[in-house]
Amino acid sequence: MPPSDRTLFYEFKKGLLLENPVAVMLLGMCSSLAVTNQIKNSLAMGLAVVFVTIASSALVSMVRKLVPGGVRIATYIVIISGFVTLADLFFKAFFPDISKTLGPYVPLIVVNCIIMARAEVFAAKHPVAASVADAVGMGVGYTWVLLVIGAIREVLGSGSIFGLAILSENVFKPWVVMVLPPGAFLTLGFLIGFINYIKSRKEGIE
Amino acid sequence: MRVILIFISAALVNNFVLAYFLGLCPFLGVSKRFDTALNMGLATTFVTTLTAVTTWLINRYLLVEYNLLFLQNVTFILAIAALVQLVEMFIKKTSIALYRSLGIYLPLITTNCIVLGLALFAVTREYTFMESVFFGAGAGVGFTIALIIMSGIREELEFADVPKVLQGAPITLLMAGMLALAFMGFAGLLSV
């Protein structure tokens, strides 16, 4: 469909599944694997990314006509790292324990390809409202994948969810490997495989 | 002695790709063939070492000196981008052959999280100058090792019968998981 027919809702919706940044486009893998050993960390990271994506997409879209093409990437980097610093300082001030567990992965949002990709591919070419809708969709799409990975790893790896034990030690021995690095790779691998499976079945029906 | 421990720890025990999940985009993107993996690894090692030097100096003599630590992210990422650009120009002037083999990978390295990650790790761990340099080199070497092993596996995988839904990214991630398991075996090697 031509761009003018696309509604704001469409821009929002495509980030959820069709063009999901983590599961389909494989962007922003570093953070999505590193911080997802607990669902709490996933949530914090997801919210930080939602904030930075929305804020930087909006600002990039506002200044898109003022920035000369040659320096646009550098401009985006400065804008994004400004907002990331805000998020980082916010965590440090109000949630020091979360800031400690997330460690350098919050500042590393700067090089998270999702935000850069949205700035370059979308916000630089579209008006503010559409860019914000797109950013919200991408941010939420990123967050739900992170939450799913976090939930799977926390339940299988420590038998708890949000830090509350749901599986008793006698019934289920936690798989420690799931909270360690290999578990992250395996979970995401199977998750993407599962999404591919659903997509291939859908295409088969249609 | 401590610098050697830091080097080994960054390269093997706490491998940046397999333990810290940094630099996954190039790890998945350019690990399809052995020679590209090797070139990418060498280019990255070069940049990580230089970055460790530069960011240490900036942090010590600019940010700490004038109490500007909140500007860390902004200055580090700009320093890295400028550094990569300079390296690219320098290589282009001095060695055309080297430029041909590394050239296209250099711009990609700016967005490699390893580079910014190691700068931030070196600051939070309060490494001295020499320690930072070895830490940077170790990070690059560790990335190269992971990339080369992965490219070897993926070249073999071309002949394997992978289920259709797992082809591409999923199977690569599953193999990275196995590789990470194997690298956990290095954990007992040293205690730093």
Side-chain angles (χ1 to χ4, degrees), chain A residues 16-27 192 195-196 199:
Chain A
L16 297 185
L17 194 63
L18 214 58
E19 294 180 23
N20 188 288
V22 185
V24 178
M25 306 209 288
L26 300 178
L27 298 175
I192 297 178
I195 291 176
N196 283 350
K199 271 166 69 185

Side-chain angles (χ1 to χ4, degrees), chain B residues 1 22 30-31 35 71-72 79 101 109 135 141 159:
Chain B
M1 193 54 212
L22 297 172
V30 293
S31 60
D35 46 343
L71 282 177
Q72 226 165 37
S101 59
I109 295 174
F135 183 61
V141 170
F159 306 106

Side-chain angles (χ1 to χ4, degrees), chain A residues 26 30 34 85 105 107 113 181 196, chain B residues 18 20-21 25 70 73 113 165 169:
Chain A
L26 300 178
C30 309
T85 308
Y105 292 101
C113 341
N196 283 350
Chain B
L18 299 168
Y20 291 140
F21 307 103
C25 305
F70 67 95
N73 299 338
C113 341
V165 290

Side-chain angles (χ1 to χ4, degrees), chain B residues 38-163:
Chain B
L38 183 65
N39 281 339
M40 180 69 179
L42 291 180
T44 309
T45 310
F46 187 57
V47 174
T48 51
T49 316
L50 274 180
T51 306
V53 174
T54 324
T55 52
W56 192 89
L57 291 174
I58 290 179
N59 191 55
R60 176 70 188 76
Y61 291 105
L62 215 62
L63 300 182
V64 175
E65 196 80 5
Y66 298 102
N67 201 13
L68 292 172
L69 283 174
F70 67 95
L71 282 177
Q72 226 165 37
N73 299 338
V74 187
T75 42
F76 280 7
I77 189 76
L78 286 179
I80 292 166
L83 187 74
V84 172
Q85 199 84 61
L86 275 179
V87 169
E88 193 183 350
M89 274 148 55
F90 180 75
I91 292 181
K92 204 173 181 181
K93 280 267 188 240
T94 50
S95 157
I96 275 294
L98 191 63
Y99 179 73
R100 288 234 174 86
S101 59
L102 296 186
I104 47 163
Y105 300 113
L106 284 170
L108 287 176
I109 295 174
T110 314
T111 49
N112 188 333
C113 341
I114 288 184
V115 184
L116 185 60
L118 84 94
L120 294 168
F121 273 125
V123 168
T124 43
R125 292 179 190 174
E126 295 175 344
Y127 283 154
T128 63
F129 181 70
M130 277 320 277
E131 286 170 355
S132 295
V133 174
F134 275 84
F135 183 61
V141 170
F143 176 70
T144 313
I145 293 174
L147 206 59
I148 287 177
I149 296 177
M150 200 62 189
S151 69
I153 301 177
R154 282 180 80 168
E155 279 186 357
E156 291 295 315
L157 196 72
E158 307 243 314
F159 306 106
D161 187 17
V162 180

Side-chain angles (χ1 to χ4, degrees), chain A residues 4-86:
Chain A
S4 54
D5 290 356
R6 291 182 166 185
T7 57
L8 290 183
F9 183 68
Y10 172 82
E11 304 293 5
F12 166 72
K13 199 182 65 176
K14 72 180 192 294
L16 297 185
L17 194 63
L18 214 58
E19 294 180 23
N20 188 288
V22 185
V24 178
M25 306 209 288
L26 300 178
L27 298 175
M29 311 281 280
C30 309
S31 53
S32 50
L33 293 177
V35 300
T36 50
N37 52 0
Q38 281 182 15
I39 198 162
K40 194 178 74 184
N41 297 345
S42 301
L43 188 65
M45 191 68 188
L47 291 180
V49 169
V50 168
F51 163 72
V52 176
T53 321
I54 295 173
S56 46
S57 272
L59 194 59
V60 165
S61 172
M62 279 175 218
V63 299
R64 71 185 189 282
K65 286 184 184 132
L66 305 173
V67 181
V71 295
R72 65 179 199 288
I73 302 281
T75 318
Y76 302 159
I77 289 184
V78 176
I79 291 176
I80 295 169
S81 53
F83 284 118
V84 169
T85 308
L86 268 182

